[in-house]
Amino acid sequence: MRTARDERLHELTLAYMEKDILGTKWLWTFLLLMSIGILMTVFDSVLLTLLFPAAFLGSNLRYQVKKRKILESYIGKELATRYWRFWLVQNVVLSVTFTILLIQTMNMSFWQMWSLILIILVPIYFVSEWWLKTQIRRDDPDFVSDQEVYKNV
């Protein structure tokens, strides 16, 4: 007999496995990243790296919408919508921060630029994830994080 948490994990895992080809096939992701690198070289523009967060959001959006529908059946429409909105705001904030940092550090060397971007973005990501998990666990005892779903795949 499965618990409600196990059922939710199973449904979310199936939804994650069904997500679009960009997120599930490493070859397509690799080809996309290579294409972005080639475009950056041909057009001599570092700003084309902004395609990375756009590609991530595009590949993950289908899963997040499906996840929201699954969660609506467990925790209700209001809470599921609130969590989905937080995910969207978190990703927009991270993408905008990435864009601003990229524009501000274009004159630095490659390693300086990416080190600075990671030093700033990684703490923002982990703090926002921690805050989201504490908020959700307070409202939902059977909470399943995206990391657990990824591990289950």
Side-chain angles (χ1 to χ4, degrees), residues 15-127:
Y16 184 78
M17 289 169 50
E18 292 174 4
K19 81 178 204 167
D20 62 341
I21 196 163
L22 184 62
T24 57
K25 303 291 185 208
W26 68 269
L27 178 62
W28 290 108
T29 304
F30 178 73
L31 290 174
L32 174 72
L33 296 178
M34 278 186 54
S35 300
I36 292 172
I38 291 169
L39 286 172
M40 286 171 54
T41 305
V42 169
F43 293 110
D44 194 28
S45 175
V46 179
L47 290 178
L48 286 173
T49 55
L50 298 177
L51 293 174
F52 290 123
F56 169 75
L57 286 174
S59 69
N60 204 17
L61 188 62
R62 182 175 170 205
Y63 165 68
Q64 291 296 331
V65 169
K66 217 169 201 184
K67 176 183 169 185
R68 178 181 170 193
K69 289 179 184 173
I70 291 169
L71 289 180
E72 282 177 2
S73 66
Y74 286 100
I75 60 176
K77 188 173 184 169
E78 184 179 321
L79 275 176
T81 302
R82 189 171 115 201
Y83 301 152
W84 187 77
R85 283 183 187 149
F86 182 81
W87 172 85
L88 191 62
V89 168
Q90 176 191 26
N91 281 281
V92 167
V93 166
L94 289 171
S95 297
V96 168
T97 305
F98 175 74
T99 304
I100 292 169
L101 289 170
L102 187 65
I103 292 170
Q104 294 297 320
T105 60
M106 281 190 334
N107 297 329
M108 295 181 176
S109 73
F110 177 80
W111 296 112
Q112 288 175 329
M113 176 176 71
W114 283 103
S115 298
L116 186 61
I117 287 172
L118 289 176
I119 287 170
I120 293 172
L121 281 182
V122 169
I124 292 172
Y125 171 76
F126 282 117
V127 166

